[in-house]
Amino acid sequence: MIGKTISELEVGQKSQFSKTVSESDIYLFAGISGDMNPAHLNEAYAAKTHFKTRIAHGMLAAGFISTILGCQLPGPGTIYLSQDLKFLAPVRMGDTITAQAEVTGIDHAKHQVTLSTICWNQDDKKVIKGTAVVSPPKALKQSE
């Protein structure tokens, strides 16, 4: 199974992915990434920050964008080339984050697609915005 090839993509196509961030998600991400910042893991420490509680790693929430690109739009076989991100608000345990990617440009000569990316929480507050560039999958030959 492959995702959409460049010829199957159009400017304006969108896809979304939603997930509620749990405490275990944060601990698992910390263990996988090695980011043990106490702002994510230590409630006593985090209570003294301007967030007043632990927050999720920004890259944990940004990873939901990768889910869209690799699994939905363009989908399986897509190669992630670049991503710029702006973190707009914290993600807390229990927040339901919706990520969205929208095709904004297609460069057939370079075999690249540009997508606007955004994440928001259950209160419709934007938490991340950015732009991704991907190389969508190529059509498989009949023998494959």
Side-chain angles (χ1 to χ4, degrees):
M1 178 177 139
I2 65 166
K4 290 179 174 34
T5 63
I6 200 162
S7 64
E8 297 173 304
L9 294 169
E10 297 176 7
V11 171
Q13 283 178 301
K14 295 180 189 179
S15 191
Q16 294 182 351
F17 172 80
S18 296
K19 182 177 185 337
T20 301
V21 177
S22 70
E23 184 174 26
S24 63
D25 292 330
I26 293 169
Y27 277 99
L28 288 167
F29 189 86
I32 291 166
S33 68
D35 182 351
M36 302 293 180
N37 184 331
H40 308 303
L41 305 176
N42 184 314
E43 188 60 45
Y45 173 88
K48 297 174 187 169
T49 69
H50 65 279
F51 297 119
K52 304 296 183 210
T53 190
R54 291 177 289 167
I55 58 172
H57 303 76
M59 294 307 291
L60 170 62
F64 301 157
I65 297 166
S66 181
T67 299
I68 296 169
L69 301 177
C71 297
Q72 298 174 6
L73 183 70
T78 296
I79 303 300
Y80 214 150
L81 299 174
S82 69
Q83 174 79 56
D84 70 56
L85 296 169
K86 183 167 184 172
F87 298 97
L88 305 172
V91 173
R92 294 179 168 84
M93 280 178 250
D95 281 353
T96 298
I97 303 301
T98 299
Q100 177 179 282
E102 178 178 356
V103 176
T104 57
I106 300 172
D107 186 333
H108 289 274
K110 291 184 178 180
H111 196 77
Q112 294 180 356
V113 175
T114 303
L115 302 100
S116 67
T117 57
I118 189 163
C119 298
W120 64 88
N121 67 17
Q122 68 282 351
D123 299 320
D124 290 326
K125 182 171 183 113
K126 291 180 186 175
V127 297
I128 300 172
K129 71 175 183 175
T131 303
V133 178
V134 302
S135 178
K138 293 184 178 177
L140 295 176
K141 296 176 186 169
Q142 290 296 74
S143 62
E144 294 181 304

